[in-house]
Amino acid sequence: MMELIHEYLLEPLSYDFMQRALLISLLIGIVCSVFSCFLILKGWSLMGDAVSHAILPGLAAAYVIGLPLLVGAFAAGLFCALSTGYLKNNSRVREDAVMGIVFSAMFALGLVMMTRIESDVHLLHVLFGNVLGISSSDLWQAGSIAAICSAIMLLKRRDLALYCFDPAHAAVIGVPVKVYHFGLLVLLALTVVSALKAAGIILVIAMLIAPGAIGFMVTRSFDRMLMVAVSASVFSCLGGTILSFHLDAATAPLIVVIQAILFLLALVIGKRTSHSRKGEHGSGTAATAG
Amino acid sequence: MSQAFIHLENVGVVYPNGHHALEGVTADLSPGTICGLVGVNGAGKSTLFKSIMGFITPTSGKVEITGLPVKQALKKNMVSYVPQTEEVDWNFPVLVEDVVMMGRYGYMNFLRRPSQADKKAVDEALQRVGMQDYRKRQIGELSGGQKKRVFVARALAQGGKIILLDEPFTGVDIKTEDSLIALFRILAEEGRLMLVSTHNLGSVPGFCDTVMMVNKTLLAYGPVETTFTQDNLAAAFGGMLRHHQLMGDELHDDPDARGVTVLTDDERPLVLYGEQGGQKIVRTKETAGEGIGRHD
């Protein structure tokens, strides 16, 4: 038994790159799962999809100008979220269509820029992440963003949950609703940026949706949903990273596969434990991942 | 004269897309009353609600709550809002007691940690609406009337003197409607102002003291007896109502000229009786499906 633990869990820890990989996957596992609870409850899954795709041209532009890549990524993600809101209010097209156009156009622009520009940023790493290749400066940057975002969301979780549940009541008791709306968009962009190096912009979408969906299906109150989401996410992030070391498989995809399995498990448990709840909420949200 | 709880002065709202939702609304609403807000969909009922709730800022005129600008009044927890059933996500993972506790957020610090006083207020509010046995239920596990009571309890826990109710009777049966009305009456008699938006005409004379009739502007405002007239209803609803009239010669064999008018939008009907031009509201009593089947 001890040998098994040693071989499977402790041996990976003796490598520096694995220590960094486990730490970053722990941090982004937490930040993504906390945000995913609000994302699921607000019905913003498509927004997560959009913002993460839209980051690509920001990365390329930042490289050209010589800015830190994360700054460019953050600006592009936020631009996508805000321009979607603006276009929705000032055109006859519905929000989902506007969002679809904005983010796919930005993603396409990013692809064009990436293929034209000679850079040391690998497209495949940007798309699908490279947990095992995290440098200590990556870890420091992304990790601190993830930690700060997690702390803000956990401290303000009651107000954020209220904003998702009943913005009218929030307004009536004097909560600055517009600030919260904008704040959630900023947090979304920051969360995606923090997970960029490790999970990549395609797979982060799954990490932003699955934990919240899992928590939503098996719980009846918000704090429990948060606990289940974070546990499921941390379990799959650490488990996926260690497993990928032994299997010599891509890490982020493995994490997402584990989350999908947990999601199926939650689906079965959720069906058995609550008969009165109708599943209309959770079903439409996972479909956008990809 | 007591100070107006809500003071509307020439309130107008034009949305950014150029839509004129409301114009020139002027009214003073007093404490201790139930005021019905009546009009068709798109007449500006929810726009008026949103202006009072600080959700939108009127493009002209002003709204004052107990003499204060809306923003300041909201900070003092003066206004509570009971949302329409369709607006609420009933799958949301919150328990009954969590929802009522949200009414206390305005009294808590920025981390929203409830104090003993907050917990006590929640207990009392749940007791008040008879929902104390359901406090650990997830909100989707309740009946239509219970769902409404939870949100009324939240308003009570908040302690606001003004309660806005958005279409409180949609999706509840007649018995539940009557018991909700009884609760609203008591809450008004305790000195609150209840502003109730409804398209359920028949119930208005039964529980409202005053009525505001809107259609892009305030068509009429005053006591139900004098304001809720056929002419005003025609102006507010245009051709939107079913209108049945039985005049004197159809009703009586004698020369009695009094006739019956029934106005309905397929909810509880409004019945007027009397000579033409001077018909008065009949307070109808509706019973749940005795004798007659459903008439859709």
Side-chain angles (χ1 to χ4, degrees), chain B residues 239-253:
Chain B
M240 308 289 284
L241 292 176
R242 285 174 201 279
H243 190 162
H244 306 279
Q245 221 164 9
L246 288 168
M247 291 323 294
D249 47 352
E250 296 168 81
L251 274 177
H252 316 281
D253 291 332

Side-chain angles (χ1 to χ4, degrees), chain A residues 41 155-156 158-159 161-162 165-169 171-173 175 216 220-222 225 276 278 280-281, chain B residues 53 55 74 77 79 81 89 91-95 102 105 110-112 136-139 141 154 158:
Chain A
L41 295 174
L155 285 175
K156 296 299 280 177
R158 290 186 213 275
D159 275 3
L162 170 64
F165 177 60
D166 193 348
H169 177 68
V172 153
I173 62 171
V175 170
F216 179 80
R220 296 159 75 242
S221 72
F222 182 73
M225 172 178 174
S276 55
K278 297 179 183 62
E280 55 205 270
H281 205 93
Chain B
M53 288 158 58
F55 228 51
L74 296 180
N77 276 299
V79 182
Y81 173 66
D89 174 8
N91 282 315
F92 204 99
V94 279
L95 306 180
M102 287 173 186
Y105 278 15
F110 80 107
L111 291 179
R112 312 294 188 202
K136 294 288 180 193
R137 293 272 188 100
Q138 191 266 336
I139 52 167
E141 298 164 0
R154 183 177 74 179
Q158 192 188 340

Side-chain angles (χ1 to χ4, degrees), chain B residues 178-212:
Chain B
D178 286 342
S179 73
L180 285 173
I181 286 176
L183 176 64
F184 297 164
R185 279 253 51 109
I186 295 170
L187 298 180
E189 273 152 29
E190 290 171 356
R192 295 182 185 85
L193 165 62
M194 319 276 289
L195 181 58
V196 184
S197 94
T198 181
H199 63 270
N200 188 344
L201 298 179
S203 62
V204 169
F207 81 102
C208 292
D209 304 297
T210 57
V211 63
M212 295 176 86

Side-chain angles (χ1 to χ4, degrees), chain A residues 68-83:
Chain A
L69 295 186
L70 296 189
V71 173
F74 172 72
L78 200 59
F79 172 80
C80 172
L82 296 182
S83 59

Side-chain angles (χ1 to χ4, degrees), chain B residues 204-271:
Chain B
V204 169
F207 81 102
C208 292
D209 304 297
T210 57
V211 63
M212 295 176 86
M213 307 180 72
V214 291
N215 195 357
K216 306 281 172 198
T217 179
L218 185 60
L219 297 169
Y221 167 57
V224 171
E225 285 75 20
T226 51
T227 313
F228 210 50
T229 61
Q230 212 174 326
D231 290 345
N232 285 339
L233 280 165
F237 287 87
M240 308 289 284
L241 292 176
R242 285 174 201 279
H243 190 162
H244 306 279
Q245 221 164 9
L246 288 168
M247 291 323 294
D249 47 352
E250 296 168 81
L251 274 177
H252 316 281
D253 291 332
D254 50 37
D256 191 342
R258 291 177 295 178
V260 176
T261 302
V262 178
L263 295 169
T264 173
D265 61 345
D266 290 338
E267 296 268 355
R268 186 185 277 209
L270 176 73
V271 181

